[in-house]
Amino acid sequence: MPCSETSLTINICPVFKYTASNRALTNEQRQFYEDNGFIIIRGLVSPADLDRYQQRFIDFCDGKVDKGGMTVMKDLSLLKEGKAKGEYLVNKIQEFLYDDVLFDYAKDPKIVEVVASIIGDNVTAVHSMLINKPPDAHEATSKHPLHQDLHYFPFRPADKICASWTAMERIDEKNGCLFAVPGSHKLELYAHVYPDALTNKAYHGVIGFDDKPKVMMIMEKGDTAFFHPILLHGSGPNLTKGFRKAISVHYASSDCHFIDVKGTTQQNIADEVEAIAKKRGISVDYRVIWKMKSRLVAGQLGKFNEMGSKI
Ligand SMILES: O=C(O)CCC(=O)C(=O)O
């Protein structure tokens, strides 16, 4: 029955704040996301696609494919030890939205449909990562501290931003699964710092919150979590002798607008990223970096995508 008032009954429709439509989510799934700030869709990405992405990652690690504009990051503890190389050393590649193979993940219709159900139809991919946890890294670098992704994003509104995160193999407590504080997307954005002297570059975290109940997201290959950028989450260390890989893209509505983060809790990450860019010979505003690395995947371009002076 449609949501309308009849002479006999009043049909109450749910009010959704954090999701946009039923395009690829049922009311129950939307309600779960509204209440918890995340949802896991099982078996969403095909194993064959994930195998292609894994091979591409290994090819980048081995230097068989030019990394172009991508960032390749190394586990700090393994780097200090100086023994590991390739896939045994690299803990993340970022900015793959212009890579022919890995962009297939960002534009996978099964993922984009769910994202559009959450943030609306005009979808821009803004951040991309393939995250590897190699064996034998120090626990401090192998884990990902509790954090909120919005800390990194100089654009709003937060409710129009969503992450997808797909397990590339079974991921559980032994090899470093994601964990999250359910419902924490309704809290505010907190200050983030380096929680430990031995923490990977730009892995900022919040201090405190140890007493908050957390859910462990145990996932099989292809299972995909979608989550809100204020959700407090992190991941544990890989304690096995194997790898732990996941592929992830953040999406924002093309209608999002940029904010100036100077003088806010986000200034520390903006300063750090601008300094890294400067070292590479690029003097550029933090907001422009985000515009430059983004790519439309569905619907229309909007305020977010405009280049030039309108930041
Ligand atoms: O894949 C992981 O271990 C955690 C990823 C994550 O939380 C992030 O990059 O924001």
Side-chain angles (χ1 to χ4, degrees):
M1 182 188 287
C3 293
S4 62
E5 203 174 311
T6 70
S7 56
L8 291 174
T9 57
I10 296 174
N11 184 18
I12 312 276
C13 271
V15 178
F16 294 122
K17 174 172 188 266
Y18 297 98
T19 57
S21 74
N22 287 52
R23 198 163 142 172
L25 293 177
T26 63
N27 272 358
E28 288 70 29
Q29 288 172 316
R30 286 179 70 180
Q31 195 59 57
F32 188 91
Y33 185 93
E34 297 270 333
D35 294 341
N36 295 285
F38 71 90
I39 185 158
I40 298 173
I41 310 285
R42 302 284 171 189
L44 192 68
V45 178
S46 87
D49 282 344
L50 293 171
D51 292 345
R52 277 195 307 124
Y53 307 149
Q54 171 162 324
Q55 190 54 54
R56 189 71 169 171
F57 173 78
I58 294 169
D59 288 347
F60 283 122
C61 291
D62 294 344
K64 287 192 183 148
V65 188
D66 181 53
K67 66 183 172 74
M70 293 187 344
T71 309
V72 177
M73 295 162 78
K74 293 168 184 157
D75 177 278
L76 195 62
S77 69
L78 296 169
L79 191 65
K80 282 191 172 163
E81 245 177 52
K83 286 190 272 187
K85 49 183 191 187
E87 193 188 8
Y88 286 85
L89 176 62
V90 174
N91 73 331
K92 205 200 262 194
I93 57 171
Q94 287 194 169
E95 279 81 75
F96 61 64
L97 295 176
Y98 289 87
D99 178 69
D100 287 347
V101 177
L102 297 180
F103 183 57
D104 285 353
Y105 174 82
K107 67 175 167 67
D108 185 327
K110 295 188 288 313
I111 289 178
V112 175
E113 289 285 299
V114 175
V115 171
S117 302
I118 295 170
I119 65 170
D121 295 341
N122 299 326
V123 182
T124 294
V126 295
H127 187 44
S128 49
M129 300 177 286
L130 197 155
I131 310 149
N132 182 38
K133 287 184 192 279
D136 300 326
H138 193 288
E139 271 198 41
T141 57
S142 190
K143 69 183 186 196
H144 199 126
L146 191 69
H147 66 284
Q148 297 164 303
D149 292 338
L150 192 68
H151 172 63
Y152 297 89
F153 302 147
F155 40 86
R156 298 290 187 274
D159 298 343
K160 296 290 174 196
I161 303 169
C162 178
S164 73
W165 188 99
T166 301
M168 297 177 73
E169 53 211 309
R170 180 184 160 83
I171 303 182
D172 55 26
E173 285 106 327
K174 293 192 281 299
N175 60 354
C177 65
L178 276 188
F179 54 79
V181 179
S184 54
H185 63 304
K186 297 180 181 170
L187 302 174
E188 61 192 275
L189 175 63
Y190 298 103
H192 286 59
V193 292
Y194 277 108
D196 196 300
L198 191 66
T199 302
N200 284 325
K201 225 173 182 31
Y203 277 40
H204 293 190
V206 292
I207 304 294
F209 302 97
D210 295 337
D211 55 332
K212 292 266 184 209
K214 300 181 182 76
V215 286
M216 295 292 162
M217 300 192 193
I218 315 287
M219 292 164 66
E220 301 295 335
K221 183 171 179 173
D223 292 354
T224 301
F226 295 87
F227 52 95
H228 188 281
I230 299 185
L231 184 77
L232 282 161
H233 69 286
S235 67
N238 176 12
L239 304 172
T240 72
K241 288 290 171 198
F243 297 96
R244 191 238 70 174
K245 289 193 185 61
I247 185 164
S248 175
V249 166
H250 285 81
Y251 301 87
S253 161
S254 310
D255 306 311
C256 279
H257 61 273
F258 280 85
I259 57 158
D260 186 355
V261 298
K262 285 210 170 52
T264 73
T265 58
Q266 293 178 256
Q267 183 167 345
N268 58 351
I269 186 67
D271 288 348
E272 191 175 331
V273 173
E274 283 177 3
I276 295 170
K278 205 165 186 179
K279 265 197 190 160
R280 294 180 187 161
I282 313 164
S283 239
V284 72
D285 186 286
Y286 188 52
R287 291 165 287 185
V288 176
I289 296 175
W290 283 95
K291 268 184 198 269
M292 282 166 53
K293 62 188 195 152
S294 66
R295 191 166 177 184
L296 185 77
V297 294
Q300 294 174 358
L301 297 167
K303 277 199 296 285
F304 184 96
N305 319 82
E306 285 165 7
M307 291 303 285
S309 57
K310 287 187 192 150
I311 49 174

